[in-house]
């Protein structure tokens, strides 16, 4: 549905994004993820029409929209700052675009109430000014307003970043539900890795104006294509050369290159005897235990390397510092980058 080819945005001598290539299918939730200043918002704004690229094309249903005015692109957009009219009622905020299109009163009322139900706003809230609502409620209004004209594509520019953590988690689940129920194509910008992994069908990870990897959340997490992606997405243990040489000596198959950089996700290290007899057994000493309720993180030392492993809580006695622990590592879970 959306195909972006060789997109570049340049400001004088500064290249904000370069050689960006994306293919976004109809009806999917596609996330642009990365740290501040990486180019994800610039890419979104180029799709919206706020920025004109210096090179490349943006095709929507086979038509290049680079020169199409913003208002004729048929896109909905939800901003980080909500961009609502604070002195207008919730009803009138949602109805604004429909009134501009000169829809009938009956059509407007039907659509506003339909959207209010979708985003879980009640009739009492519809008559309030948006300035009287909480941040979470205002974001629901912004979502309803963006959907009012039934756009096929909705752009989200870090819409939940101003909310507290608990509300963000609730609303991102709501966003996914709304996207699924409406069938819209969502292009979502965030710097929050957990958010991206939870709600996305596909993720493009940006770094310094370029895309490092595109894939499903599981592909991005389990098979990170670069060291940057590995370190940016979730938590991973760095394995030094001594550790890798031990793995090579006690495992079958192709050895790892000790001169490369190696990582393993915290939860991939097992503290129980696995059914897979190809796992390498490593003796470790517990340095510290951090309790989180449903799981604990053990900070351990093994072969001169400090490792963090996640252990699910099952009511067993707490292990003390200096306790020996046997851990098991599947060589297939080790990620390797660079080397000779």
């Amino acid at each position: 549905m959306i195909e972006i080819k060789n997109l570049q945005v340049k400001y004088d001598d500064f290249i904000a994004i370069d050689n960006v290539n994306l293919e976004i299918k109809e009806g999917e939730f596609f996330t642009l993820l990365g740290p501040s200043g990486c180019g994800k918002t610039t890419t979104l704004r180029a799709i919206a029409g706020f920025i004109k690229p210096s090179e490349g094309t943006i095709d929507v249903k086979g038509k290049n929209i680079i020169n199409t005015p913003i208002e004729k692109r048929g896109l909905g957009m939800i901003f980080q700052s909500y961009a609502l009219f604070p002195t207008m009622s919730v009803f009138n905020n949602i109805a604004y675009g429909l009134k501009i299109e000169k829809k009938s009163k009956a059509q407007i009322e039907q659509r506003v109430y339909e959207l209010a139900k979708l985003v879980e706003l009640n009739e009492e809230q519809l008559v309030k000014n948006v300035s009287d609502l909480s941040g979470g409620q205002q974001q629901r209004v912004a979502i309803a307003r963006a959907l009012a004209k039934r756009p096929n594509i909705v752009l989200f520019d870090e819409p939940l970043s101003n909310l507290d953590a608990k509300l963000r988690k609730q609303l991102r689940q709501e966003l996914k539900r709304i996207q699924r129920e409406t069938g819209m194509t969502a292009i979502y910008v965030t710097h929050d890795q957990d958010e991206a992994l939870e709600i996305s069908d596909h993720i493009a990870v940006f770094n310094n104006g370029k895309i490092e990897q595109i894939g499903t959340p599981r592909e991005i997490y389990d098979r990170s294509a670069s060291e940057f992606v590995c370190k940016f997405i979730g938590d991973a243990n760095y394995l030094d050369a001594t550790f890798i040489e031990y793995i090579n000596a006690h495992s079958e198959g192709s050895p790892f290159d000790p001169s490369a950089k190696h990582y393993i996700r915290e939860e991939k290290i097992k503290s129980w005897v696995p059914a897979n007899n190809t796992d390498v057994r490593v003796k470790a000493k517990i340095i510290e235990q951090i309790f989180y309720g449903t799981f604990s993180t053990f900070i351990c030392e093994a072969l001169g390397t400090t490792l963090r492993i996640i252990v699910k809580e099952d009511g067993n006695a707490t292990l003390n510092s200096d306790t020996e622990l046997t851990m098991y590592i599947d060589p297939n879970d080790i990620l390797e980058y660079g080397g000779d």
Side-chain angles (χ1 to χ4, degrees):
M1 182 186 192
I2 304 171
E3 190 171 8
I4 298 172
K5 296 179 182 178
N6 306 319
L7 200 68
Q8 182 191 78
V9 173
K10 187 176 181 181
Y11 304 104
D12 296 324
D13 293 331
F14 174 68
I15 298 176
I17 58 171
D18 192 32
N19 197 33
V20 169
N21 290 273
L22 292 172
E23 190 171 332
I24 302 169
K25 296 177 182 176
E26 187 170 3
E28 80 170 327
F29 205 115
F30 196 103
T31 296
L32 312 181
L33 173 67
S36 296
C38 68
K40 57 189 186 298
T41 297
T42 300
T43 301
L44 190 80
R45 292 175 68 82
I47 296 170
F50 298 122
I51 297 172
K52 188 167 183 178
S54 45
E55 291 181 14
T57 58
I58 302 172
D59 291 352
V60 177
K61 294 184 177 179
K63 180 187 176 183
N64 184 7
I65 62 168
I66 289 289
N67 295 314
T68 303
I70 296 171
E71 66 277 8
K72 293 184 178 180
R73 295 193 179 198
L75 308 175
M77 187 152 185
I78 299 170
F79 298 91
Q80 180 178 346
S81 60
Y82 314 143
L84 299 171
F85 302 109
T87 58
M88 289 170 54
S89 69
V90 170
F91 183 100
N92 286 331
N93 266 275
I94 298 172
Y96 182 78
L98 301 173
K99 290 180 177 179
I100 294 295
E101 289 188 337
K102 302 189 183 303
K103 298 292 185 183
S104 70
K105 183 178 179 181
Q107 287 176 313
I108 292 172
E109 286 190 355
Q110 179 182 350
R111 183 61 175 156
V112 170
Y113 283 112
E114 181 182 275
L115 288 166
K117 183 179 179 181
L118 179 69
V119 300
E120 298 183 350
L121 291 168
N122 59 42
E123 291 190 22
E124 182 182 339
Q125 290 165 331
L126 283 176
V127 298
K128 290 184 176 181
N129 283 354
V130 291
S131 57
D132 295 328
L133 301 183
S134 68
Q137 290 168 339
Q138 288 185 32
Q139 192 55 279
R140 291 175 187 272
V141 177
I143 294 167
R145 187 181 66 177
L147 296 176
K149 295 166 67 175
R150 303 181 191 274
N152 291 323
I153 303 166
V154 179
L155 312 179
F156 296 84
D157 186 9
E158 303 213 43
L160 308 182
S161 61
N162 291 332
L163 306 176
D164 64 71
K166 186 175 181 180
L167 187 55
R168 275 205 311 271
K169 188 169 180 63
Q170 176 191 340
L171 276 184
R172 68 194 188 206
Q173 293 167 351
E174 290 294 304
L175 275 176
K176 185 64 177 176
R177 173 186 63 82
I178 291 167
Q179 184 262 341
R180 185 173 59 248
E181 290 181 6
T182 61
M184 69 179 175
T185 302
I187 306 177
Y188 192 94
V189 163
T190 184
H191 63 271
D192 188 316
Q193 301 94 320
D194 291 339
E195 193 167 276
L197 292 172
E198 181 177 338
I199 64 179
S200 309
D201 295 312
H202 285 90
I203 300 169
V205 182
F206 280 72
N207 180 32
N208 289 329
K210 295 185 178 182
I211 294 176
E212 292 265 340
Q213 184 176 2
I214 300 172
T216 65
R218 189 173 295 278
E219 289 167 346
I220 294 287
Y221 186 84
D222 285 343
R223 290 295 156 206
S224 303
S226 68
E227 186 181 12
F228 171 82
V229 176
C230 175
K231 293 169 72 173
F232 185 74
I233 300 287
D235 297 310
N237 291 296
Y238 175 73
L239 306 177
D240 67 15
T242 301
F243 200 100
I244 289 301
E245 286 168 353
Y246 178 89
I247 295 293
N248 284 341
H250 293 82
S251 61
E252 300 175 358
S254 301
F256 294 100
D257 180 355
S259 70
K261 293 184 177 180
H262 301 87
Y263 296 86
I264 187 168
R265 299 288 182 194
E266 294 178 1
E267 74 283 354
K268 300 290 186 183
I269 302 175
K270 308 176 189 73
S271 60
W272 65 91
V273 180
N276 179 6
N277 59 13
T278 62
D279 284 24
V280 176
R281 185 172 63 179
V282 183
K283 291 288 187 181
K285 183 175 72 173
I286 297 174
I287 300 172
E288 184 181 353
Q289 178 186 4
I290 306 170
F291 177 69
Y292 291 99
T294 57
F295 68 94
S296 286
T297 294
F298 288 92
I299 301 175
C300 306
E301 184 178 316
L303 303 172
T305 298
T306 301
L307 301 173
R308 295 169 66 95
I309 68 172
I310 294 175
V311 179
K312 185 177 180 181
E313 286 294 325
D314 57 5
N316 292 334
T318 301
L319 295 173
N320 298 316
S321 296
D322 294 329
T323 301
E324 275 205 347
L325 177 72
T326 301
M327 60 177 64
Y328 299 86
I329 292 178
D330 183 345
N332 292 319
D333 291 328
I334 296 175
L335 303 170
E336 181 176 79
Y337 305 104
D340 296 330

